[in-house]
């Protein structure tokens, strides 16, 4: 058989259609990179045409954020005096921008505030929405700081051709009640709906910051960050300035005061899902030019769809989601139909064990089961084949029924009057950060002295 040699293609001629070239062309037509934007989230497609799970390590490289490693977790616990949240311990909160600097400022007794939000797209939130808010509540309790929650009914209207502004506003009012039911402290939490706050009497400073940020942001920057084109409406191009303005304390003089020079120095920490990062890359790029502190971010992974880990739970797909309004029966049915990492037969499962990396009920336990030791025991039993898929699904359903059931009880107590308290622009309680830092230093010194005495005894 004659030896095959590589011959360069002649100019103006089609490439040689050898088997390797045809195979490469076919694989290139199939391969698709994962998509993570505020408007679209999906895993990639490999050379075999298989949809693959979202690669979060790759996202860190793509977005240029930093991984939350063990050293940072240990520093978090040392500085705050609190055990990291289960999502942090298990790598579900996995990436950050300047969390280390926030800890430095907190340790020195400086003020900070938290900011998070939601784009209301349905009348009830699902458990994938509740996770970031639960984590935000934890951070508020740990840092003892004010929290601002932005409900972007206008953004949903801009991006959703079939939804009216009135519908988006109605969703925002209902979602606000769901968020309050997570357990936020009304004395430290301000929630605002864009169309109400921006057009109301307290939105003047906010609107000023929107204009200042908007002037600094070019159309090319928005196109490059969000992938917008000529078919996107002009409101979509302008909205990033609004989402950025919330990250600056001067937007809320009724909370932080009117000394803009001092207030501009107050840093902001934004807990959010990783798909929101593009908004704040724009914000961080412009912050220092405008005399503001760059907001810090802490990123969470997505709660996967019940259909599989290739995409996130979606409010627009009821069968992919467990809603906070679902009954115990609905939860059990949905978990029973969730994608399983078990083997095709009982014998094979006992031989090979379950695949926890792709098993949705196990992944949900990682999000919702508090006990680390119990989670590890379940993992070992399932991966060894001792625990079958049915048992794992029953365990998962029980945990979620308890979680959603507790939420439903809290939600039933949230009235329109309670919601209006959170939505009213007002001053919020601040902890005395300097005094707290001094007390913590004295307590550490006392413990170190006592330890020295015990060693000397």
């Amino acid at each position: 058989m004659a030896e095959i040699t590589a011959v360069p293609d002649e100019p103006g001629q089609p490439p040689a259609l050898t088997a390797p070239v045809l195979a490469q062309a076919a694989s290139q037509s199939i391969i698709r990179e994962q998509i993570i934007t505020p408007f679209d989230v999906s895993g990639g497609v490999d050379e075999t045409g298989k949809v693959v799970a979202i690669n979060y390590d790759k996202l860190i490289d793509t977005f240029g954020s930093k991984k939350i490693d063990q050293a940072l977790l240990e520093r978090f616990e040392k500085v705050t005096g609190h055990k990291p949240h289960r999502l942090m311990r298990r790598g579900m909160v996995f990436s950050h921008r300047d969390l280390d600097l926030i800890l430095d400022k907190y340790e020195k007794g400086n003020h900070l505030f938290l900011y998070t939000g939601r784009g209301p797209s349905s009348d009830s939130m699902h458990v994938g929405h509740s996770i970031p808010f639960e984590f935000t509540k934890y951070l508020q309790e740990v840092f003892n700081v004010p929290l601002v929650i932005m409900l972007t009914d206008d953004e949903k209207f801009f991006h959703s051709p079939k939804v009216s502004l009135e519908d988006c506003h109605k969703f925002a009012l209902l979602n606000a009640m769901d968020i309050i039911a997570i357990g936020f402290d009304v004395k430290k939490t301000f929630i605002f709906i864009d169309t109400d706050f921006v057009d109301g009497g307290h939105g003047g400073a906010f609107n000023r910051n929107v204009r200042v940020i908007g002037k600094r942001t070019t159309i090319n920057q928005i196109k490059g960050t969000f992938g917008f084109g000529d078919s996107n409406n002009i409101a979509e191009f302008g909205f990033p300035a609004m989402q950025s303005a919330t990250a600056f304390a001067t937007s809320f003089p009724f909370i932080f005061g009117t000394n803009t020079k001092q207030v501009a120095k107050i840093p902001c920490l934004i807990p959010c899902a990783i798909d929101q990062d593009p908004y704040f890359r724009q914000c961080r790029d412009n912050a220092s030019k405008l005399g503001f502190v760059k907001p810090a971010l802490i990123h969470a992974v997505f709660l996967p769809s019940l259909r599989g880990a290739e995409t996130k739970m979606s409010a627009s797909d009821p069968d992919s989601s467990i809603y906070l309004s679902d009954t115990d029966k609905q939860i059990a049915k949905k978990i029973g139909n969730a994608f399983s990492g078990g083997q095709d037969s009982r014998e094979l499962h006992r031989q090979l064990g379950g695949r926890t990396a792709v098993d949705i009920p196990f992944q949900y336990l990682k999000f919702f089961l508090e006990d680390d030791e119990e989670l590890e025991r379940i993992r070992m039993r399932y991966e060894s084949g001792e625990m079958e898929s049915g048992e794992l699904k029953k365990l998962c359903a029980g945990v979620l029924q308890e979680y959603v059931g507790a939420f439903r009880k809290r939600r039933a107590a949230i009235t329109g009057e309670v919601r209006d308290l959170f939505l009213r622009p007002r001053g919020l309680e601040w902890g005395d950060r300097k005094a707290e830092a001094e007390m913590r230093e004295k307590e550490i010194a006392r413990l170190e002295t006592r330890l020295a005495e015990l060693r000397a005894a």
Side-chain angles (χ1 to χ4, degrees), residues 5-16:
T5 58
V7 179
D9 296 320
E10 295 181 16
Q13 297 297 316

Side-chain angles (χ1 to χ4, degrees), residues 159-189:
H159 292 293
S160 305
K162 297 181 180 180
V163 183
S164 70
L165 186 57
E166 290 73 22
D167 284 340
C168 293
H169 186 262
K170 180 187 71 174
F171 294 156
L173 288 170
L174 292 169
N175 286 181
M177 298 173 82
D178 285 348
I179 291 166
I180 293 165
I182 299 295
F184 291 108
D185 186 346
V186 68
K187 298 187 296 296
K188 296 180 178 136
T189 306

Side-chain angles (χ1 to χ4, degrees), residues 78 107 439-449:
K78 179 181 178 182
E107 191 172 34
M439 287 180 62
R440 188 165 58 251
E441 288 176 3
K442 289 179 180 178
E443 180 64 14
I444 292 172
R446 185 187 69 79
L447 292 172
E448 288 176 345
T449 300

